[in-house]
């Protein structure tokens, strides 16, 4: 009878058994070596999407493999459950953010369970529950006590219709992304975390992260943005409102003789003072504010300025005056909010100088280019100083140092380091987040909530029918007495940025006592996470914040770990073709059918156009629902497909043919697993060798997260087993094959294991041993050359003696033909490699 694997029945049965036996529960007390495997926890948006499936399949293979290699594995799952989408749903669908979120969690948990991931569900957590965020409040207070949290007025993007602060990304062309209202700059008192205290450490720590992608480390490095240079003051030719100098910061003090102007930011105090009597400048400043200056746009934006009519004096020559501009490309919150413009060597300055017809002079030149003028491109390369008085002839590094030394000796400047990293503003005027555990008292100022009163629980009875923060307009919630003096006071109604929630969840997974955030001893047993897997979109913020929290907790003596994630892997996306109807509507894959080269709309029979292969997204309708696919093919085929074909860091195009192929392979394996023949005897040496090389190779591939390579090796082994004649070796290979696929297709593997009459679960079985003797090839291919040209090859036993190789070479039909009667003058033999006949 043709054996057919019934995934729907088998998946559910094994999932139930794993659940009942708590197979994947991690023990804090195990004596085995530990391994913590973690995928970035999902936001409960509604349903699992295929990107999650790919991400979690990868982590699962590693987790299961490490269990098989004798590790006590921690592989937890939880929910990053606070955030805006829940409030949007509340506004649009009139459901409470809490019920919307918890419903989504229930749905997505069930979906994940259907995929058979080896997760320790006993440690499941959701950041929106007081059992989690109450401890976060305690940690916030700990950081507050240690001076790592402070309150500061800062300018924010304020949406006057939604009555909320918007992140920069939520401001589109100066308008709120939801309301469309013109966004205002407002000064608000907000809470900040002192991440800048750790800038140096966070930068240095990157050097220790050998198992992180280079590109992620580079992105973090740029984000932290350490710049070493000179801060110095230009004297103003006339004082403005008591300002007699303009302080500037430059990373290129060596180019100081190339300066042709100075520029200040629109929000600079001198610009503000001048604007009081200058309507044009006031208008220009307004314009700068409206467009905003995100650092990223500076390179490309149109450089604009306003000439103040004032001049500054060059520090090396009291007679040398440079015009002072207010310029849109100068940021107020970087360096000193003012620059010296060196058009010859800075592209922004060059664009600006060309527009306002300012001098452009070269002061750094490579050998032979001393007199070459600078045209459209600023020269940023290496070279030596020219046109620079006492600096002439020096290389840039020495010149930098010489200028800094002079500035320090003469007292007009000093060497300094400037960071791009800013402190982390964590206040959000939102409901669905962790309440900030602070009480504002008119007498005592901000007072931390006493820990015994934690958690500060979000009130349930809130409404979303009017804009603004529901916590703020709740009738009673914010009215409390001051914990210090007992007078009437107000609770903080801002909640924490959800990035705070995800900055320590991996610590809570490792240890979750009810009376404190974690137990440091237990955390130490599991942390750091040995392998973290997630999307590259988190390369900067989430990973930096998580690194910061870990270091901050260490700094205040709560934890003894510096880096939370030893290994990081960022997986590629799952993509799919897109389809469009003639009227421009996007069509989903199940609305169309491909007929040859044509794509046809099923309902109407009309032609549709085939668009690009793109990341699956609801807006383009090019999504496949994991549930549908699991229903059709079972979890294992889906998992297998997610791991095959593409290297894990690359995008994986979802195709019907791909999942079909995976499904066929699952069935091929199932038929093979039925072919163990206890009666078959005899060895099959080549098959033994193939098997052991595969065991070894697959293990290495899984550890390197090269899942597609592991899959390819398993295909090859399956082919070899299928072709082999019955033997004891073949039966052993079939049994081992079940173990090899167990991390990837665990339900199929369990089913086969039971069917083979093996004891226990394959999930608990050890990874097969490798016999090192079988890893070495005992046959080699030897090249035979005539006059250095390849004419034939020999397959011989390794170590075949020289004279035997010579004899075999001369006996080769091809060689005899090639020599055409000539007798070799000399025969060169390199054992195991080649025979060269010289005539
Ligand atoms: C003169 C100069 C000459 C500069 C030159 C660069 C090249 P990074 O490396 O990113 O730190 N700058 C300083 N403060 C600024 C601000 N608030 N807004 C806009 N630009 C500012 O950049 C440091 C350089 O950016 C500084 O060095 C300054 O221009 C400019 F050939 O000074 B430089
Ligand atoms: Zn008080």
């Amino acid at each position: 009878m043709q054996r057919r694997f019934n995934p729907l029945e088998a998946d559910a049965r094994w999932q139930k058994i794993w659940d009942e036996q708590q197979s994947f529960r991690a023990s804090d007390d195990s004596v085995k070596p530990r391994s913590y495997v973690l995928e970035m926890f999902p936001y409960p948006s509604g349903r699992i999407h295929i990107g999650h499936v790919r991400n979690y399949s990868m982590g699962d293979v590693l987790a299961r493999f490490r269990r098989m290699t004798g590790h006590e594995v921690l592989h937890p799952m939880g929910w990053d459950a606070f955030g805006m989408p829940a409030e949007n749903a509340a506004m649009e669908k009139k459901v409470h953010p809490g019920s919307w979120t918890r419903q989504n969690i229930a749905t997505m948990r069930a979906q994940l369970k259907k995929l058979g991931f080896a997760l320790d569900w006993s440690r499941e957590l959701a950041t929106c529950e007081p059992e989690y965020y109450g401890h976060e409040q305690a940690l916030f207070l700990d950081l507050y006590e240690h001076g790592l949290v402070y309150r500061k007025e800062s300018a924010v993007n304020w949406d006057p219709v939604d009555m909320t602060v918007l992140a920069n990304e939520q401001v589109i062309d100066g308008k709120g992304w939801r309301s469309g209202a013109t966004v205002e700059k407002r000064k608000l008192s907000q809470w900040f975390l002192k991440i800048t205290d750790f800038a140096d450490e966070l930068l240095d720590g990157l050097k220790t992260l050998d198992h992180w992608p280079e590109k992620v480390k580079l992105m973090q490095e740029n984000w932290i943005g350490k710049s070493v240079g000179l801060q110095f003051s230009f004297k103003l030719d006339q004082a403005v409102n008591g300002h007699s100098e303009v302080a500037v910061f430059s990373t290129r003090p060596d180019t100081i003789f190339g300066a042709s102007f100075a520029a200040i930011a629109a929000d600079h105090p001198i610009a503000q003072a001048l604007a009081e009597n200058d309507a044009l400048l006031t208008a220009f400043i307004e314009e700068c504010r409206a467009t905003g200056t995100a650092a990223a746009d500076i390179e490309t934006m149109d450089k604009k300025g306003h000439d103040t009519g004032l001049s500054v004096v060059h520090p090396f020559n009291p007679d040398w005056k440079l015009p002072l501009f207010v310029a849109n490309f100068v940021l107020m919150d970087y360096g000193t909010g003012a620059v010296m413009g060196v058009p010859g060597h800075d592209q922004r300055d060059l664009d600006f100088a060309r527009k306002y017809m300012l001098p452009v002079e070269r002061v750094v030149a490579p050998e032979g280019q001393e007199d070459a003028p600078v045209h459209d491109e600023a020269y940023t390369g290496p070279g030596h100083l020219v046109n620079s008085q006492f600096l002439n002839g020096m290389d840039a590094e020495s010149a930098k140092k010489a200028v800094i030394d002079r500035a320090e000796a003469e007292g007009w400047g000093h060497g300094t380091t400037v960071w791009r990293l800013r402190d982390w503003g964590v206040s959000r005027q939102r409901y669905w987040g962790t309440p900030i555990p602070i009480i504002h008292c008119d007498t005592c100022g901000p007072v931390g909530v006493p820990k015994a009163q934690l958690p500060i629980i979000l009130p349930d009875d809130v409404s979303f029918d009017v804009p603004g923060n529901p916590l703020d307009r709740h009738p009673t919630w914010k009215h409390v007495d001051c914990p210090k003096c007992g007078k009437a006071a107000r609770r903080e109604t801002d909640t924490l940025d959800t990035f705070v929630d995800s900055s320590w969840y991996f610590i809570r997974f490792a240890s979750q006592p009810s009376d404190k955030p974690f137990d440091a001893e237990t955390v130490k047993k599991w942390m750091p996470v040995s392998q973290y897997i997630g999307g590259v979109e988190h390369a900067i913020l989430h990973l930096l914040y998580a690194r910061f929290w870990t270091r901050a907790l260490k700094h205040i003596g709560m934890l003894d770990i510096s880096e939370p994630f030893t290994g990081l892997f960022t997986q590629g996306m799952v993509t799919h073709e897109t389809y469009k109807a003639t009227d421009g509507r996007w069509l989903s894959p199940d609305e169309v059918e491909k007929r040859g080269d044509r794509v046809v709309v099923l309902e109407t029979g009309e032609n549709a156009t085939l668009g690009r292969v793109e990341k699956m997204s609801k807006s383009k309708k090019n999504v496949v629902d994991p549930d549908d696919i699991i229903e059709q093919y079972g979890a294992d085929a889906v998992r297998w497909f997610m791991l095959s074909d593409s290297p894990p860091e690359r995008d994986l195009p979802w195709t019907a043919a791909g999942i079909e192929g995976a499904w066929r392979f699952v069935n091929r394996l199932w038929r093979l697993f039925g072919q163990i023949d206890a009666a078959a005897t005899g060895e099959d040496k080549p098959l033994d060798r193939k098997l052991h090389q595969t065991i070894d190779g697959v293990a290495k591939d899984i550890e390197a997260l090269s899942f597609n390579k592991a899959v390819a090796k398993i295909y090859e082994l399956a082919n070899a087993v299928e072709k082999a004649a019955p033997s004891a070796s073949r039966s052993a290979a079939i049994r081992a094959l079940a173990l090899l696929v167990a991390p990837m297709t665990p339900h199929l593997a369990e089913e086969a294991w039971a069917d083979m009459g093996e004891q226990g679960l394959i999930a608990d079985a050890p990874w097969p041993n490798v016999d090192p003797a079988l890893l070495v090839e005992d046959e080699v291919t030897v090249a035979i050359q005539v006059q250095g040209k390849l004419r034939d090859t020999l397959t011989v036993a390794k170590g075949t003696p020289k004279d035997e190789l010579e004899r075999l070479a001369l006996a080769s039909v091809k060689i005899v033909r090639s020599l055409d009667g000539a007798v070799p003058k000399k025969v060169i033999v390199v054992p195991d490699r080649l025979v060269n006949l010289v005539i």
Side-chain angles (χ1 to χ4, degrees), residues 227 249-252 255 329 331 334 339 345-346 348 420:
S227 292
F249 168 71
S250 174
T251 47
R252 295 290 308 274
T255 64
F329 65 92
L331 303 167
Y334 187 64
V339 303
H345 303 282
D346 182 298
R348 298 164 294 184
R420 197 163 290 279

Side-chain angles (χ1 to χ4, degrees), residues 566-580:
T566 310
L568 173 71
F569 186 80
T570 54
Q571 92 276 6
M573 294 180 305
V574 183
T575 58
H576 195 287
E577 288 176 338
T578 48
Y579 315 103
K580 247 187 191 177

Side-chain angles (χ1 to χ4, degrees), residues 365-372 384:
E367 211 49 53
Q369 300 279 298
E370 291 78 0
D371 298 325
H384 56 273

Side-chain angles (χ1 to χ4, degrees), residues 271-282:
Q272 304 281 309
L274 290 169
E276 280 172 22
N277 307 307
D278 185 341
L280 280 178
L281 178 55
T282 308

Side-chain angles (χ1 to χ4, degrees), residues 200 203-204 221-228 251 334 417-421:
D200 241 324
L203 186 63
D204 267 359
E221 191 181 320
N222 290 337
W223 188 263
I224 297 168
K226 180 179 186 175
S227 292
V228 181
T251 47
Y334 187 64
T417 301
V418 164
W419 302 86
R420 197 163 290 279
L421 186 66

Side-chain angles (χ1 to χ4, degrees), residues 463-494:
S463 62
F464 294 87
D465 40 7
V466 281
N469 182 355
L471 288 179
D472 201 36
R473 59 169 181 266
H474 189 280
T476 55
W477 190 74
K478 71 176 172 185
H479 302 293
V480 286
D481 292 337
C482 170
K484 246 191 200 159
C485 70
K487 285 192 208 138
R490 279 155 292 114
R491 210 183 265 303
E492 170 70 67
T493 56
D494 286 355

Side-chain angles (χ1 to χ4, degrees), residues 441-445 447 482-487:
C441 168
D442 288 337
T443 312
C444 314
V447 182
C482 170
K484 246 191 200 159
C485 70
K487 285 192 208 138

Side-chain angles (χ1 to χ4, degrees), residues 384-579:
H384 56 273
L385 275 284
V386 295
N387 303 319
S388 297
Q389 302 185 9
F390 72 101
L391 301 175
N392 284 342
M394 290 185 191
D395 61 67
E397 278 315 305
S398 321
K400 272 181 202 171
K401 191 172 175 307
V403 173
I404 293 174
D405 287 349
R406 276 283 282 271
E408 289 178 350
E410 294 171 5
W412 48 268
H414 57 270
T416 184
T417 301
V418 164
W419 302 86
R420 197 163 290 279
L421 186 66
R422 292 282 164 267
D423 275 340
W424 174 14
V426 292
S427 295
R428 299 290 180 271
Q429 293 67 39
R430 307 270 26 138
Y431 166 72
W432 196 232
T434 299
I436 296 178
I438 297 282
I439 291 167
H440 297 281
C441 168
D442 288 337
T443 312
C444 314
V447 182
V449 172
K451 283 205 179 152
Q453 291 174 24
L454 298 182
I456 302 301
I457 297 179
L458 283 173
D460 266 334
D461 51 339
V462 284
S463 62
F464 294 87
D465 40 7
V466 281
N469 182 355
L471 288 179
D472 201 36
R473 59 169 181 266
H474 189 280
T476 55
W477 190 74
K478 71 176 172 185
H479 302 293
V480 286
D481 292 337
C482 170
K484 246 191 200 159
C485 70
K487 285 192 208 138
R490 279 155 292 114
R491 210 183 265 303
E492 170 70 67
T493 56
D494 286 355
T495 51
L496 289 172
D497 181 1
T498 56
F499 273 117
V500 174
D501 310 336
S502 51
S503 289
W504 72 286
Y505 78 104
F506 42 88
I507 300 175
R508 180 81 187 160
F509 271 146
S511 160
Q512 28 190 265
S514 57
D515 59 338
K516 55 181 176 182
F518 52 82
D519 171 63
E521 288 295 307
T522 314
V523 171
K524 188 88 210 221
K525 289 183 178 177
W526 293 109
M527 293 270 302
V529 172
S530 133
Q531 184 64 59
Y532 197 30
I533 308 179
V536 74
E537 66 275 17
H538 295 299
I540 300 179
L541 294 183
H542 162 56
L543 290 167
L544 194 65
Y545 293 150
R547 294 180 61 219
F548 158 65
W549 267 80
T550 307
R551 282 177 188 269
L553 294 176
K554 179 171 181 183
H555 180 80
I556 65 174
M558 287 185 68
L559 196 61
D560 188 23
I561 289 151
S562 304
E563 288 292 339
F565 315 118
T566 310
L568 173 71
F569 186 80
T570 54
Q571 92 276 6
M573 294 180 305
V574 183
T575 58
H576 195 287
E577 288 176 338
T578 48
Y579 315 103

